[in-house]
Amino acid sequence: AQSVTQLDSQVPVFEEAPVELRCNYSSSVSVYLFWYVQYPNQGLQLLLKYLSGSTLVKGINGFEAEFNKSQTSFHLRKPSVHISDTAEYFCAVSDPRGGSEKLVFGKGTKLTVNP
Amino acid sequence: KAGVTQTPRYLIKTRGQQVTLSCSPISGHRSVSWYQQTPGQGLQFLFEYFSETQRNKGNFPGRFSGRQFSNSRSEMNVSTLELGDSALYLCASSLEGTSGGNLAKNIQYFGAGTRLSVL
């Protein structure tokens, strides 16, 4: 079984500051990794994904994440945040062996960007 | 291309009633998954349908059921509603629902959700 831990439930930062949202996963097999963002009263929007290849993944809105297999981590980073980045961010994993698209999510990290 | 469409966006029901939620996937997508989102439990997987067959099921009671039609549209039903069923229900679709080959098949796209309130 897979599990995802997002180490920070809330992260407050000032505008234009860098931010890192941490995600660790547990799995007995290789996984696919995802970051989704959820704005108030909306569904989930895919930010970026790691399926294979380069461990540094670039996504939308200037976000990037690095897959670290030895540390079973997939931390999300942005060098300079904007007020509009205020949202909840979810890390998720899926099993690439086939047979199901089920995503296992972390509890989420609420990012608040202050002026 | 239109995204995943969920209807209705909001629902208010009373305990004991039943409810049906609808999800239309992105055109060409054949896999539909449902998730429940609550403040306490977060995002939890309900079930997944592919080619009209339930392929995977989460740890929810039998009051939660679903189905998928030949055009890939999906519905989920909750019978005998309880207060704890109040949640945002999210539907996600993906291209084909199998791994290997085209990795783009493994990406799920979410709808805006149906917010269910049980009074």
Side-chain angles (χ1 to χ4, degrees):
Chain A
Q2 295 133 2
S3 65
V4 177
T5 302
Q6 291 185 242
L7 297 158
D8 305 297
S9 59
Q10 297 191 53
V11 173
V13 294
F14 288 108
E15 193 173 18
E16 298 183 7
V19 71
E20 178 179 83
L21 306 184
R22 296 180 292 171
C23 171
N24 286 87
Y25 69 92
S26 173
S27 176
S28 58
V29 299
S30 296
V31 295
Y32 292 149
L33 293 152
F34 306 84
W35 276 99
Y36 285 87
V37 61
Q38 185 175 36
Y39 299 101
N41 298 315
Q42 294 188 26
L44 301 176
Q45 180 182 3
L46 180 67
L47 270 179
L48 48 78
K49 60 192 180 294
Y50 173 78
L51 304 180
S52 70
S54 172
T55 57
L56 182 61
V57 180
K58 293 191 183 298
I60 62 171
N61 301 341
F63 284 94
E64 65 179 32
E66 185 154 22
F67 169 54
N68 188 318
K69 188 174 182 178
S70 63
Q71 297 185 7
T72 59
S73 67
F74 190 55
H75 301 332
L76 181 70
R77 301 185 184 99
K78 186 170 182 178
S80 176
V81 294
H82 304 290
I83 298 286
S84 58
D85 292 323
T86 294
E88 191 158 18
Y89 293 78
F90 293 91
C91 181
V93 301
S94 70
D95 186 339
R97 290 176 294 175
S100 175
E101 296 299 298
K102 172 186 173 182
L103 286 169
V104 175
F105 287 91
K107 293 290 190 184
T109 298
K110 288 186 179 176
L111 174 66
T112 303
V113 181
N114 298 301
Chain B
K1 191 182 254 189
V4 179
T5 303
Q6 291 188 246
T7 56
R9 287 294 312 275
Y10 302 93
L11 266 178
I12 300 175
K13 293 286 187 179
T14 57
R15 280 180 298 174
Q17 286 187 309
Q18 75 165 17
V19 67
T20 299
L21 313 181
S22 180
C23 172
S24 293
I26 293 171
S27 178
H29 284 196
R30 297 168 61 194
S31 171
V32 173
S33 298
W34 290 88
Y35 296 83
Q36 181 195 63
Q37 185 178 23
T38 59
Q41 299 300 316
L43 282 153
Q44 294 185 286
F45 172 77
L46 277 157
F47 27 64
E48 177 195 358
Y49 287 87
F50 177 69
S51 292
E52 301 179 64
T53 301
Q54 187 180 88
R55 186 161 66 170
N56 200 353
K57 189 177 189 304
N59 189 25
F60 279 82
R63 300 184 297 106
F64 292 81
S65 63
R67 60 177 175 169
Q68 186 180 33
F69 302 94
S70 58
N71 62 357
S72 294
R73 190 177 70 85
S74 177
E75 290 181 347
M76 68 163 281
N77 183 277
V78 189
S79 62
T80 319
L81 284 166
E82 301 177 0
L83 295 178
D85 297 333
S86 294
L88 179 66
Y89 290 88
L90 292 165
C91 167
S93 74
S94 63
L95 189 59
E96 187 169 305
T98 57
S99 65
N102 182 358
L103 293 176
K105 296 177 184 177
N106 304 97
I107 301 168
Q108 291 197 20
Y109 296 90
F110 284 79
T114 294
R115 184 164 297 280
L116 172 65
S117 297
V118 182
L119 306 177

